[in-house]
Amino acid sequence: MTRFNTFLLSSAKACCLLTSLCLLTSAQVQAERTLPQVTWSRTDFAPYFIVQGPYENQGISDKVIQLLISQIPSYQHQAIVMTLPRMLNDAQQGKPICHASLLKTQAREAFIEYSDPVMINYANGIITSAAGLQKFGMSPETITDIDLASLRGKPLSIMVYQGRSYAPHIDQIIAEDRRTDNSIFRVKSGTSEHDRLIRQLFAKRLDGFMGRPEEAYFDSVSHHIRQKLYLIGLTGQPRTSVTRIGCTKGSWNDDLLKEINRLVKTKTMRQAINKAYINWLPEQLRGSYVMDQAIHFAPDTLVFNQQ
C-alpha cells in the first residue's frame, strides 16, 4: 500500500470518527431539548442561598438544589439568581420554576404546589446590635422575647425583605403597620444588598432586621464582624417552622415533586441537609438541633435557647 493510500485510509477513519462524535453530540443535545425544564430560583437569602463572596454556592438550600439536580436526571435544570418577588411572579404566570426554601402560606398556595417538609428552621426574630438592643429597652444580659405588635408607633427602623413570609402572625403585623404613615418597617428589595444593610445597622441608621439565628451567624462570619449580633425572639409564633420546596402548580411538576418527596426522605439526603443547616447555626444551638426529628415533622419539639 502506497503512502498516499495510507493517508486516504487514515483520513477516512478520522472522518468517520468525527461524524460519529457529531452524531452523538447532536443526539445528546436533542435528548436534552426533549427533557422537561425546571428553573431553580436562588434568592439573596443567606445562608440558604449564598450568591456571592467566599462562601458562594455553599448555602443550605444551594446544597439541596445541587443534590436534587444530581439525583433527578429526567429534568433539564438551571439555577438562576433572582429576587423572591420575581420568582413568585414567574410562578403566578405559570413558568416552570421552583424554590428550595419556601414557607407555606395561603396566598402562595393559589399558584404554588409544595413538597413534603424538607427541614425544620428556628423561628424568625429581630437581629440587632448592642446599640440596637438599647432601642428595644434591652441589654445583652436582659434579652427577652417581645411582642412585635407592641413596637408599633415607636421610633424604630426594622428592615424586612420584600415578598418574604416570616410566619402568618408576623406577616399580618408587618402588613398592617406598613399601611400606616409612621411604619417601623422598611422594605429591602433587590439582590446583593445585604452588605449595605449590615453597615447601616452598625452605623445606627437601622435598629434591626427580621431574620433567623442562622442568618445572624452567617453575617458575623462572612463579614468578619467583631461586634456581636443579637437575636430578639418574638412572641405569638411557634419556636420553629417547616420549610418546603415550592414549585409552580401544573401537571409539568407531577414527576418532579414525586421524585423530590422520595429523595428528601432518604437517609443520604437527610444527613446532607442536616450537615448543611448545622454548619450555619450559632454554636450554642448546634447541640440541641436534631434534623432527624424533621422526618416526623414535629416542629414544637425543639427548644430555642436565646443567647
Side-chain angles (χ1 to χ4, degrees):
M1 183 180 295
T2 66
R3 184 176 300 175
F4 179 70
N5 288 336
T6 301
F7 172 76
L8 287 178
L9 204 59
S10 299
S11 298
K13 288 181 179 179
C15 287
C16 287
L17 179 60
L18 182 60
T19 301
S20 298
L21 288 172
C22 289
L23 289 173
L24 180 60
T25 302
S26 177
Q28 288 174 333
V29 170
Q30 187 62 34
E32 288 180 355
R33 286 177 179 172
T34 59
L35 290 176
Q37 295 186 354
V38 57
T39 296
W40 291 96
S41 168
R42 298 182 63 235
T43 52
D44 187 16
F45 178 25
Y48 289 85
F49 302 98
I50 304 177
V51 300
Q52 62 180 348
Y55 302 103
E56 185 175 359
N57 299 320
Q58 296 179 43
I60 302 162
S61 296
D62 288 330
K63 296 294 184 183
V64 173
I65 291 175
Q66 292 160 15
L67 285 165
L68 292 175
I69 289 176
S70 69
Q71 295 297 315
I72 307 179
S74 54
Y75 278 76
Q76 187 176 347
H77 306 264
Q78 62 174 345
I80 298 178
V81 175
M82 64 179 71
T83 64
L84 182 57
R86 176 188 162 185
M87 180 270 159
L88 296 173
N89 183 64
D90 284 355
Q92 285 180 301
Q93 293 181 19
K95 296 180 181 180
I97 191 167
C98 294
H99 192 286
S101 182
L102 274 186
L103 290 180
K104 181 185 284 189
T105 69
Q106 187 174 0
R108 290 174 180 174
E109 284 187 276
F111 54 93
I112 293 285
E113 190 169 358
Y114 290 89
S115 71
D116 292 337
V118 173
M119 71 180 80
I120 288 177
N121 314 91
Y122 285 110
N124 286 286
I126 300 173
I127 298 171
T128 188
S129 62
L133 283 176
Q134 296 177 19
K135 296 290 293 287
F136 296 97
M138 302 180 191
S139 68
E141 294 75 30
T142 63
I143 297 177
T144 186
D145 289 2
I146 196 169
D147 178 7
L148 188 63
S150 70
L151 301 178
R152 296 179 62 179
K154 294 185 178 182
L156 294 168
S157 178
I158 302 171
M159 188 72 77
V160 295
Y161 289 76
Q162 184 181 17
R164 178 170 165 182
S165 176
Y166 294 96
H169 169 68
I170 304 302
D171 294 343
Q172 183 178 351
I173 293 172
I174 294 172
E176 290 175 356
D177 192 71
R178 286 283 298 161
R179 290 193 286 267
T180 65
D181 293 333
N182 59 339
S183 175
I184 64 173
F185 298 106
R186 294 162 56 184
V187 177
K188 174 189 178 296
S189 60
T191 60
S192 303
E193 296 181 1
H194 206 69
D195 288 356
R196 184 164 60 88
L197 188 152
I198 295 296
R199 290 196 298 271
Q200 288 177 330
L201 180 65
F202 285 107
K204 300 181 182 180
R205 296 197 299 270
L206 186 67
D207 299 317
F209 58 93
M210 297 288 292
R212 302 179 187 274
E214 55 269 28
E215 293 177 73
Y217 180 75
F218 173 81
D219 289 333
S220 296
V221 172
S222 63
H223 294 88
H224 306 289
I225 297 173
R226 293 183 179 180
Q227 302 121 301
K228 284 187 177 181
L229 289 171
Y230 300 90
L231 182 73
I232 302 172
L234 302 175
T235 60
Q237 64 173 340
R239 292 297 188 181
T240 57
S241 61
V242 168
T243 57
R244 306 164 189 263
I245 293 169
C247 299
T248 305
K249 275 189 172 180
S251 58
W252 75 274
N253 71 34
D254 288 347
D255 293 336
L256 178 63
L257 281 176
K258 285 180 183 177
E259 192 63 9
I260 288 173
N261 287 336
R262 182 188 69 81
L263 288 168
V264 297
K265 292 181 178 68
T266 62
K267 184 177 180 180
T268 299
M269 192 77 167
R270 298 239 60 82
Q271 288 178 339
I273 296 173
N274 181 56
K275 181 180 179 181
Y277 189 68
I278 287 178
N279 280 347
W280 291 113
L281 276 180
E283 292 183 9
Q284 67 268 24
L285 294 180
R286 294 179 184 181
S288 61
Y289 183 83
V290 182
M291 187 65 196
D292 287 341
Q293 294 183 35
I295 296 175
H296 308 292
F297 304 115
D300 289 326
T301 59
L302 295 182
V303 176
F304 177 60
N305 289 324
Q306 291 253 123
Q307 296 289 335

